[in-house]
Every structure is written in C-alpha cells, then in structure tokens.
Amino acid sequence: MKTDMSRKKEVVLGSHGNSRGSLLVGESGREIPFLIKRFFVIKDVPSGATRGAHAHKTTSQALFCLCGSFTLITDDGVSVIEESIDSHSTGRLLLPKVWHTMKDFSKGTIALVVANKHYRESDYVRDYEGFLRLVKKGT
Ligand code: TYD
C-alpha cells in the first residue's frame, strides 16, 4: 500500500497480465490492510447520481473502480480532496471518520468495495454536522 497523504491512500492490487488478459489480486494483510469481512458492488449508477455522502465510525474500506470512472471526494473535517478514480488496479483506502462521496459516474462504471466489518447501519454517520461533531470529539 502506497501512502501519499493522510487520506489519499492508494491500494495497489497485484497484477498478473499476459496475452490471455489481466488478473488483479488483493489479499488481506498484503495489498488490503485489513481482514475482509464484506464486499459490495456499485453499478448501474444513473447519470448525475451521487453515492456515499456519509462517514463510518469504525469501518475501514478499500474502494476500486473495476470499470469506467468516477470522482471521489474525501473530507476529514479539515480539508477536502477531490480526485478522479479510473485505475482498475489502484484503489483508495477509506478509513473511519472520513466523509466520502462519489459522483460523475461514467456510463457502465462498476465499483467494488471491500470492508473490514459486516454491515451495520449504526456504524454510519449520514448527517454532515454529526460527522463534524464526531471528528471534533475524536471518539
Ligand atoms: P449505502 O451505503 O447508503 O449506499 P451509498 O452510500 O452508495 O448510497 O447503502 C444503500 C442501501 O444498501 C442501504 O439501504 C443499506 C444497504 N446496504 C446493505 O444492506 N449492506 C451493505 O453492505 C451496504 C453497503 C449497504
């Protein structure tokens, strides 16, 4: 895993390409810096739609763009980073307490997210003011 800045953490998958195509791999403890308990796929996002717009209290995630492209906005309560995600082999680590939003999905985009926790709605912070309070509190 290559770390550029506190929030812009790249997760580089292993890549095995040859004349038969390309195989990308991520293993817990190697490319993925946590034990994977869950994955989900985001697809068929209509033009103009936004996903995310929340933070997690304790869940860590790694986000990959398997097909197409989108814009990822991450906000740690202090500063905002906006970046275009279009690499199939390099994802982003989304740590707890980072407000993240995805927008500008190109047609046919497929995103894969792996997480270190099972789904629990109570782990979400969906209101931005609540997120800022959580970041300030530090707990
Ligand atoms: P949500 O995380 O709000 O999606 P997004 O942030 O991309 O808009 O999830 C959408 C719905 O799917 C919501 O009703 C919760 C449900 N869901 C699960 O049941 N399990 C999961 O692992 C996830 C990520 C979502």
Side-chain angles (χ1 to χ4, degrees):
M1 187 185 65
K2 190 172 119 205
T3 303
D4 289 339
M5 356 184 357
S6 64
R7 236 169 327 131
K8 204 169 170 182
K9 291 185 170 165
E10 294 187 349
V11 184
V12 181
L13 296 176
S15 184
H16 303 270
N18 58 31
S19 60
R20 295 179 296 122
S22 177
L23 186 152
L24 300 169
V25 61
E27 284 189 41
S28 290
R30 290 190 174 164
E31 294 83 2
I32 310 293
F34 50 74
L35 265 180
I36 298 168
K37 281 201 175 168
R38 176 167 58 103
F39 74 89
F40 56 94
V41 170
I42 297 170
K43 65 185 188 71
D44 300 332
V45 180
S47 170
T50 295
R51 307 286 317 201
H54 61 245
H56 289 281
K57 294 175 189 166
T58 63
T59 301
S60 293
Q61 302 180 123
L63 164 68
F64 299 93
C65 182
L66 300 185
C67 189
S69 64
F70 56 88
T71 299
L72 172 67
I73 304 162
T74 50
D75 175 351
D76 64 0
V78 177
S79 64
V80 177
I81 295 174
E82 181 163 328
E83 51 187 329
S84 178
I85 305 291
D86 58 8
S87 165
H88 303 160
S89 59
T90 303
R92 291 289 181 278
L93 185 64
L94 298 174
L95 292 173
K97 297 182 194 169
V98 172
W99 187 267
H100 51 278
T101 303
M102 291 165 281
K103 64 174 190 178
D104 301 336
F105 286 83
S106 67
K107 196 172 161 57
T109 292
I110 300 178
L112 169 71
V113 182
V114 296
N116 70 338
K117 303 226 165 163
H118 291 139
Y119 171 77
R120 251 188 335 126
E121 183 57 34
S122 60
D123 192 62
Y124 281 71
V125 183
R126 292 190 187 272
D127 74 294
Y128 190 73
E129 294 307 314
F131 161 68
L132 291 179
R133 283 196 300 276
L134 176 72
V135 169
K136 258 197 198 145
K137 239 184 1 181
T139 56

